[in-house]
Amino acid sequence: MTKRRNLKTHKPSRTRQSLTASGWLKPLCWQISKIEAAKALRMPVNRIVKVYPKQHQVIVVYLNKKGQKCSSFFSYRLFARWEQEAIATIASCRNQQTLGRRYSIRY
């Protein structure tokens, strides 16, 4: 016979959230430039057409080798600014409990 957990007694585990989803980092305010996008994507700046920031990803419109426009989604974690902001945010917390109250860190 299997044991069933009662919904009233079962405590759900804490859901982990990323730094962005938890609200600690706000990448929409970062204004990622074409130069930063080119550096992160390892391509010349003249191939980057437009950078669209979204809540959890960046849309980059770029020219492929044939000169045609392409667009793709990229994670903010690809950019150097994400790492700098994440380190600064974690360093600004007084202790681990302060950081842990809002979320569990997930990289």
Side-chain angles (χ1 to χ4, degrees):
M1 185 171 174
T2 37
K3 293 183 181 179
R4 290 186 164 208
R5 292 185 181 185
N6 186 349
L7 291 176
K8 293 180 182 178
T9 59
H10 174 68
K11 293 182 182 179
S13 61
R14 293 180 95 183
T15 57
R16 293 181 178 210
Q17 291 183 334
S18 68
L19 292 168
T20 306
S22 65
W24 282 82
L25 293 180
K26 297 183 181 0
L28 281 173
C29 304
W30 290 351
Q31 301 289 329
I32 294 176
S33 67
K34 290 181 181 181
I35 296 170
E36 286 179 277
K39 193 179 286 186
L41 301 176
R42 297 182 182 142
M43 66 173 55
V45 178
N46 61 356
R47 286 184 50 197
I48 304 293
V49 177
K50 184 80 175 168
V51 179
Y52 296 101
K54 295 294 182 186
Q55 186 174 1
H56 297 286
Q57 294 176 331
V58 179
I59 300 172
V60 178
V61 179
Y62 60 94
L63 299 174
N64 65 8
K65 291 183 180 181
K66 294 179 182 178
Q68 299 169 329
K69 285 185 182 178
C70 300
S71 64
S72 193
F73 291 94
F74 297 97
S75 172
Y76 282 107
R77 295 176 185 170
L78 186 63
F79 297 90
R81 191 180 299 187
W82 187 90
E83 185 177 349
Q84 295 164 355
E85 293 284 333
I87 291 169
T89 301
I90 292 169
S92 70
C93 290
R94 294 181 190 164
N95 55 31
Q96 192 174 3
Q97 286 78 22
T98 305
L99 191 62
R101 275 188 219 130
R102 275 182 86 178
Y103 68 97
S104 301
I105 299 175
R106 184 182 75 187
Y107 291 99

